[in-house]
Amino acid sequence: MRAYGHERRFPSFRGQGNWCGWYWSATCGGHVGYESWLERDHLMLLDFDPLVTAVASQPFQVSWSGPDGKRVRHTPDFFVRRTDGTALVVDVRPDERIEPRDAMKFAATAGACGLVGWDFVRVGAPEVVLMENVRWLAGYRHPRVHRPQVADRLVEVFGEGASLLAGARRVGDQIAVLPVLFHLLWQRVLAVDLRAGLLSAGTRVGLGEVREGGGDAVASAASASG
């Protein structure tokens, strides 16, 4: 088995069934490519994960001889570096679209990753409510949204917990305050249960807890597949 580092170009053509694009990652401070909406969603989840420090798309190709002697090649979707220095390789594919040949490629890639001490996970469709909330918060991920004085006041107000809109109104004009609130939720400075329901005026907001280490990044990626 061989692995090749390479830069693969995202194809674009008339009648294309998948959607390619570039996602601006707050974690990386730059754009990361994707080849489908599902890949974009998982990029958002990785960007939202406080245990992730860097993400690269289609970082390398694995090549090996199949049972019939023919060369088999596979390019994983993402390479992830975590806060503790460990690595995670991610393939994105819905459960219902995995053919036997795909399963073989994923198994071989997992084996190759294990040889060099990397984790591997294949993820499918994320939980619907979680993904809707993360998409919303991603709209406020850029540092330009941050306003230190408003942020400090929000942390003070939500220190003992409060509903989203009521707490924001205690800080000031909700039009000016809510973007900062959503930015703090994205940063995990503040926290809500993103799986309990869609964000609303009555959502309970408290202080966040950003854990150190990288072990949970694998679990969070796997659980995000639903």
Side-chain angles (χ1 to χ4, degrees):
M1 180 174 289
R2 300 176 181 176
Y4 304 89
H6 74 306
E7 181 180 357
R8 179 179 172 189
R9 300 184 64 181
F10 299 107
S12 178
F13 52 88
R14 184 185 297 273
Q16 186 170 344
N18 61 308
W19 294 88
C20 300
W22 296 92
Y23 169 82
W24 187 85
S25 166
T27 299
C28 302
H31 289 88
V32 181
Y34 60 84
E35 283 194 304
S36 68
W37 289 138
L38 185 57
E39 286 188 19
R40 182 208 58 185
D41 284 349
H42 281 287
L43 261 179
M44 286 186 183
L45 290 171
L46 290 168
D47 198 23
F48 184 56
D49 191 334
L51 303 180
V52 171
T53 61
V55 183
S57 60
Q58 301 188 348
F60 60 85
Q61 183 181 88
V62 182
S63 175
W64 66 94
S65 295
D68 56 1
K70 294 183 179 179
R71 208 68 188 164
V72 183
R73 295 177 175 82
H74 177 63
T75 301
D77 294 312
F78 302 113
F79 179 87
V80 179
R81 184 67 69 183
R82 296 174 292 202
T83 55
D84 64 354
T86 59
L88 171 68
V89 175
V90 181
D91 262 316
V92 181
R93 185 72 62 86
D95 296 347
E96 66 275 11
R97 290 186 52 201
I98 298 178
E99 302 294 337
R101 184 174 177 82
D102 299 321
M104 177 268 292
K105 288 183 176 181
F106 296 147
T109 303
C113 290
L115 291 175
V116 294
W118 297 343
D119 294 311
F120 173 85
V121 65
R122 194 279 308 171
V123 293
E127 297 176 23
V128 174
V129 172
L130 169 66
M131 196 65 243
E132 286 295 326
N133 285 327
V134 171
R135 286 194 197 106
W136 177 264
L137 294 180
Y140 302 89
R141 66 190 184 277
H142 199 283
R144 64 172 172 261
V145 179
H146 187 70
R147 297 173 60 192
Q149 291 183 337
V150 175
D152 290 345
R153 180 65 178 138
L154 283 167
V155 170
E156 180 182 345
V157 167
F158 288 110
E160 298 181 358
S163 62
L164 188 150
L165 188 57
R169 284 175 171 170
R170 286 176 58 188
V171 175
D173 183 349
Q174 65 191 57
I175 299 300
V177 172
L178 284 174
V180 184
L181 170 56
F182 294 139
H183 181 68
L184 293 182
L185 288 172
W186 173 266
Q187 289 186 314
R188 308 291 186 106
V189 174
L190 299 178
V192 299
D193 186 349
L194 296 176
R195 290 180 167 86
L198 296 178
L199 290 171
S200 67
T203 298
R204 294 294 296 181
V205 180
L207 296 182
E209 295 182 4
V210 178
R211 292 167 291 178
E212 297 296 331
D216 291 331
V218 177
S220 65
S223 66
S225 65

